[in-house]
Amino acid sequence: MQDKELMLSVFAILIYVIGGIATFGGVGLILLMKGKDLWGWGDGHSIGYLCVCVGLVFSILGVLIMRILRNRI
């Protein structure tokens, strides 16, 4: 039981941190890569907006998981 709770807590914090990195990385891409190709994936500006949106969703998801775990444990 204790191992499962610890794994879920680590998962929630990991999702939260990944979301923060993606958000700030996306802001960097928006500011620095306008009009430049990013490894053949597309315009860096557009991928930056994608990273910002996905990063914010991951950060919110990580916080929600942490809140649920706090209330259940």
Side-chain angles (χ1 to χ4, degrees):
M1 185 71 170
Q2 193 73 343
D3 291 336
K4 184 179 177 183
E5 295 169 358
L6 180 63
M7 285 179 48
L8 287 173
S9 299
V10 169
F11 175 71
I13 292 172
L14 187 66
I15 292 293
Y16 179 70
V17 169
I18 289 172
I21 291 170
T23 300
F24 286 108
V27 169
L29 286 173
I30 291 170
L31 294 176
L32 300 175
M33 297 292 286
K34 188 171 187 176
K36 296 180 185 173
D37 188 45
L38 186 68
W39 303 310
W41 293 353
D43 187 34
H45 193 75
S46 302
I47 294 174
Y49 280 115
L50 176 68
C51 286
V52 167
C53 293
V54 170
L56 289 175
V57 168
F58 271 27
S59 293
I60 292 168
L61 179 66
V63 169
L64 287 175
I65 292 172
M66 284 188 266
R67 294 291 295 179
I68 290 170
L69 290 174
R70 181 178 176 209
N71 288 335
R72 290 195 176 209
I73 297 175

